[in-house]
């Protein structure tokens, strides 16, 4: 039995990847034939239908299961972990035994549903992705530890973000920003960060870092998400008010979704106060550049699943330097490549 290859959407909205034909189609057909007649045992089943009942199911599956397809992240269709024939099909035997054991058909409908997928990801994601167990280990793995004032990192402070009432200090590697900006035109006016890029958010209360959130770019174009608590230990969810957010399930919902959030939504204008107080990107007026904001439309487009307008603000700083007559030659060349 054969099925025609087709092109799917890759990563955070990137170019398509041809799906390989899968050797499991016959098994899929047999499972579908008995679908709905009782619970499935994921530890022994060869093929299980997937019914997430979510918008853009393919992208969600590529995100979640792409993280299990290879250590660096990979297309789960090409890896044989997923196939498509009259819907999506999971092939559990492509997973290690300990991961299969975490899959449960809780509602007994013979399929993998959304709640069951989230319940599987919770206890297995960190180990599958080899996330550093402590903040110290993450710092050691980074090309250079982040810190306020370090010129290797572009830092943005946010008050009243959608995810926490704490002040957030966001750190993005300058080298990663410049690489994304340098390839912006060649990538179809799309911001893409290199694999391995680390974006760090420190949540600060009374001058103390109480938790740290992290994004790390996978080779398949998606991001890993992680939370570290006040003691620097890997945590399952955030802890600062107004509510805990589970990682990665509730991170993915915002970063892959289309909803816009203040203060980024209103920028460069002032944002209205939120339910927990003022909301603002705490940047110099020189960085509130309406032209740069409109040029990238970064928060609205989020072509790389990034909510913060980091490229916008960095470019605004270069434009301000040019206006002040202090632009370095390499920065002038970068603006020229952007056509600004």
């Amino acid at each position: 039995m054969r099925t025609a290859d087709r092109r799917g959407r890759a990563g955070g909205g990137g170019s398509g990847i041809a799906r390989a034909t899968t050797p499991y189609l016959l098994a899929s057909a047999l499972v579908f034939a008995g679908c709905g007649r009782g619970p499935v045992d994921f530890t022994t089943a060869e093929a299980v239908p997937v019914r997430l009942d979510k918008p853009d199911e393919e992208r969600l599956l590529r995100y979640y299961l792409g993280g299990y397809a290879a250590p660096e992240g990979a297309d789960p269709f090409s890896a044989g972990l997923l196939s498509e024939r009259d819907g999506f099909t999971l092939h559990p035997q492509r997973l290690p035994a300990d991961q299969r054991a975490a899959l449960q058909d809780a509602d007994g409908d013979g399929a993998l549903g959304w709640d069951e997928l989230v319940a599987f990801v919770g206890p297995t994601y960190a180990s599958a992705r080899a996330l550093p167990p402590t903040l110290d280990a993450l710092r050691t793995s980074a090309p250079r530890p982040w810190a306020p004032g370090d010129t290797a990192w572009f830092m943005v402070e946010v008050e009243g973000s959608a995810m926490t009432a704490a002040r957030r200090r966001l750190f993005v590697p300058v080298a990663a920003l410049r690489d994304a900006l340098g390839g912006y035109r060649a990538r179809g006016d799309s911001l893409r960060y290199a694999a391995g890029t680390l974006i760090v958010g420190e949540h600060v209360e009374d001058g103390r870092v109480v938790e740290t959130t992290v994004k790390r770019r996978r080779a398949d174009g998606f991001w890993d998400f992680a939370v570290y608590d006040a003691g620097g230990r890997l945590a399952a969810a955030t802890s600062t008010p107004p509510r805990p957010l589970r990682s990665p399930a509730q991170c993915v919902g915002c970063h892959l979704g289309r909803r816009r959030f203040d203060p980024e939504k209103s920028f460069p204008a002032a944002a209205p106060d939120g339910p927990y107080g003022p909301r603002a990107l705490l940047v110099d007026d020189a960085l509130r550049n309406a032209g740069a904001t409109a040029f990238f439309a970064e928060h609205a487009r989020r072509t790389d699943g990034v909510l913060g307008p980091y490229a916008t603000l960095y470019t605004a700083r270069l434009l301000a330097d040019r206006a002040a007559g202090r632009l370095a030659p390499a920065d002038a060349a970068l603006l020229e490549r952007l056509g600004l």
Side-chain angles (χ1 to χ4, degrees):
M1 183 180 298
R2 298 188 304 163
T3 183
D5 290 355
R6 61 187 290 267
R7 296 184 69 82
R9 294 179 298 279
S15 61
I17 299 175
R19 294 184 185 161
T21 54
T22 173
Y24 296 102
L25 287 180
L26 180 58
S28 297
L30 294 174
V31 169
F32 283 130
C35 179
R37 296 182 181 175
V40 64
D41 182 352
F42 286 94
T43 62
T44 58
E46 292 288 348
V48 179
V50 178
R51 299 190 190 126
L52 301 187
D53 293 326
K54 292 282 184 180
D56 206 353
E57 288 192 4
E58 181 179 337
R59 197 174 186 212
L60 286 171
L61 289 169
R62 284 185 181 278
Y63 167 73
Y64 282 111
L65 297 180
Y68 294 80
E72 65 278 8
D75 173 31
F77 292 92
S78 297
L81 185 54
L82 284 171
S83 64
E84 182 178 5
R85 181 178 181 274
D86 299 326
F88 298 111
T89 303
L90 172 70
H91 304 286
Q93 301 308 310
R94 288 288 186 172
L95 294 169
D98 60 330
Q99 293 178 7
R100 292 200 305 274
L103 283 163
Q104 301 292 323
D105 185 8
D107 58 10
D109 69 347
L112 178 68
W114 172 248
D115 290 341
E116 293 157 342
L117 176 61
V118 171
F120 160 72
V121 168
T124 61
Y125 181 81
S127 60
R129 302 303 311 131
L131 298 180
T134 66
L135 204 53
D136 285 343
L138 180 68
R139 285 183 180 276
T140 301
S141 70
R144 180 167 173 162
W146 58 94
D150 189 333
T151 57
W153 294 85
F154 185 69
M155 190 185 84
V156 180
E157 289 193 90
V158 182
E159 193 78 66
S161 71
M163 69 173 298
T164 178
R167 178 170 292 194
R168 297 191 81 204
R169 291 196 300 234
L170 285 305
F171 298 86
V172 185
V174 169
L177 264 174
R178 294 180 69 90
D179 177 73
L181 288 167
Y184 179 77
R185 290 299 197 188
R187 296 170 185 139
D189 291 357
S190 179
L191 288 163
R192 301 285 171 188
Y193 290 88
T197 296
L198 192 67
I199 297 179
V200 179
E202 293 182 339
H203 296 188
V204 180
E205 291 180 338
D206 299 322
R208 185 172 67 93
V209 177
V210 295
E211 68 186 1
T212 304
T213 57
V214 174
K215 292 177 61 174
R216 186 173 63 182
R217 183 71 187 269
R218 295 184 340 209
D220 63 351
F222 288 106
W223 298 82
D224 283 328
F225 297 91
V227 178
Y228 294 88
D229 63 19
R233 298 174 296 269
L234 193 63
T238 62
S239 59
T240 52
R243 63 196 178 283
L245 297 172
R246 288 171 294 150
S247 175
Q250 288 178 287
C251 308
V252 176
C254 290
H255 284 271
L256 293 190
R258 305 313 315 166
R259 183 182 173 189
R260 298 171 66 187
F261 302 95
D262 269 320
E264 294 85 0
K265 177 182 175 181
S266 297
F267 189 82
D273 287 351
Y276 306 100
R279 296 184 290 195
L281 286 164
L282 305 176
V283 298
D284 295 338
D285 287 344
L287 272 59
R288 296 183 176 277
N289 187 307
T293 303
F295 179 82
F296 292 109
E298 192 172 358
H299 180 68
R301 293 174 64 192
R302 68 187 73 169
T303 53
D304 203 11
V306 175
L307 296 176
Y310 312 120
T312 300
L313 294 170
Y314 185 79
T315 301
R317 191 173 75 180
L318 297 185
L319 291 170
D321 287 345
R322 184 172 68 186
R326 57 173 182 264
L327 192 66
D331 295 337
L334 182 56
L335 290 179
E336 185 176 352
R337 291 185 68 178
L338 288 167
L340 292 173

